Amino acid sequence: MHGLGNDFVVLDGRREALSLDTATVRALGDRRTGIGFDQLVILERPRDGGHVRARFYNQDGGEVATCGNASRCIGRLLLDETGERSVTIETGGGPVVASDAGEALVTIDMGRPRFAWNEIPLARDVDTRSLPLQVGNLPPAFGVSVGNPHAVFIVPDAAQIDVAHLGSQLEHDPLFPERANIEFAQVLSSDRVRMRVWERGAGITRACGSGACATLVATASRGLTGRRATIELDGGDLIIEWTKQDRVLMTGPVATAFSGTVQLPDTAAARAA
């Protein structure tokens, strides 16, 4: 499946538990010899009253707490499967609610943004709205967690940023004990922002849902946009709203590329979608 070109392999482990080691995840993620993906998702039986529990793995094999675009994809699967108007996905970053927004769109409630240094998390207590990252001529970044850590740089022209070079450096900065997703955002108007992203463990991707959410929170916090804006990504647009109830909502399309089965090492064949 994919959301604006941010692509995922979704394995259904609800009937039979799946446990993948790092090497297996990397092998599946190889775009030449495996299936290829930005992230891999394993669906599991719910534990805390949700419709499903989801585990997320980056291309490098590392497990992460959540993924916004993948959650929209999972939401679409569950909405179609259950016929309900909204479903709850349990993630390592907390419960995520997916709702049918009509016209093939899905809205995800990403929860409340977190600004405290130890919630993002950072390695030490610093001003999270002006992170002390000294790389080239970049301005201070805005730090926030939307279920995973983000550093948002607001720049004059996102097209001129060397995302590969800067993103790979910043992801591994000692300030981020769990590494970080790096966004470069250009404010076009009070309700439109151009954003490019480097995702930890995946590199440059065509879209990042949680990154779009982090970008809107950063620009709205600095008074550069309102609390609702369209975020232009390489793969297309997402609509992000930071509500007065302090919830971040993300709305956008999803698509299924293909479905089939894959034989995993030391497991039974697993249904993939």
Side-chain angles (χ1 to χ4, degrees):
M1 301 189 73
H2 72 89
L4 302 178
N6 190 199
D7 63 328
F8 313 98
V9 164
V10 184
L11 299 178
D12 193 345
R14 289 176 291 180
R15 292 185 179 179
E16 182 177 351
L18 301 175
S19 179
L20 306 186
D21 59 22
T22 299
T24 300
V25 174
R26 288 177 175 172
L28 289 172
D30 191 302
R31 295 189 184 277
R32 292 184 175 85
T33 59
I35 301 173
F37 56 75
D38 289 324
Q39 277 93 21
L40 179 143
V41 186
I42 298 178
L43 303 183
E44 299 180 343
R45 295 174 183 173
R47 303 177 187 176
D48 300 312
H51 289 79
V52 73
R53 182 173 181 82
R55 298 178 66 182
F56 305 89
Y57 296 85
N58 282 334
Q59 207 176 57
D60 66 358
E63 185 171 1
V64 294
T66 191
C67 173
N69 271 332
S71 294
R72 283 193 298 111
C73 290
I74 298 165
R76 181 77 272 162
L77 287 176
L78 294 176
L79 290 167
D80 292 344
E81 184 179 283
T82 64
E84 298 185 24
R85 294 288 297 174
S86 65
V87 293
T88 300
I89 303 163
E90 300 172 6
T91 78
V96 171
V97 177
S99 304
D100 190 332
E103 300 181 355
L105 300 176
V106 176
T107 295
I108 290 287
D109 182 342
M110 295 291 290
R112 295 177 172 82
R114 303 167 191 170
F115 303 101
W117 70 273
N118 56 343
E119 291 180 318
I120 292 176
L122 303 178
R124 61 186 188 277
D125 188 353
V126 299
D127 180 358
T128 60
R129 288 166 170 77
S130 184
L131 298 180
L133 297 169
Q134 301 299 320
V135 179
N137 295 320
L138 290 176
F142 188 100
V144 61
S145 171
V146 191
N148 47 19
H150 293 268
V152 182
F153 292 86
I154 300 173
V155 298
D157 187 350
Q160 298 302 313
I161 297 296
D162 186 344
V163 177
H165 174 67
L166 295 174
S168 59
Q169 280 187 270
L170 291 161
E171 173 191 355
H172 296 279
D173 190 280
L175 186 62
F176 305 117
E178 297 179 7
R179 299 183 292 166
N181 300 278
I182 310 298
E183 288 80 31
F184 302 96
Q186 175 187 354
V187 177
L188 303 176
S189 69
S190 63
D191 63 355
R192 185 168 288 270
V193 179
R194 174 75 173 100
M195 188 269 277
R196 300 174 67 201
V197 62
W198 175 276
E199 290 197 59
R200 61 174 178 172
I204 296 174
T205 58
R206 290 177 57 79
C208 176
S210 61
C213 293
T215 293
L216 184 278
V217 169
T219 58
S221 293
R222 290 184 174 175
L224 301 174
T225 65
R227 295 175 70 98
R228 178 185 172 90
T230 297
I231 309 299
E232 296 182 6
L233 307 161
D234 288 347
D237 295 348
L238 289 173
I239 298 172
I240 310 298
E241 181 179 4
W242 185 13
T243 71
K244 293 181 179 179
Q245 292 73 39
D246 198 27
R247 313 290 294 186
V248 181
L249 307 181
M250 170 181 56
T251 300
V254 300
T256 298
F258 65 89
S259 61
T261 59
V262 58
Q263 184 69 41
L264 300 174
D266 301 321
T267 72
R271 174 67 60 183

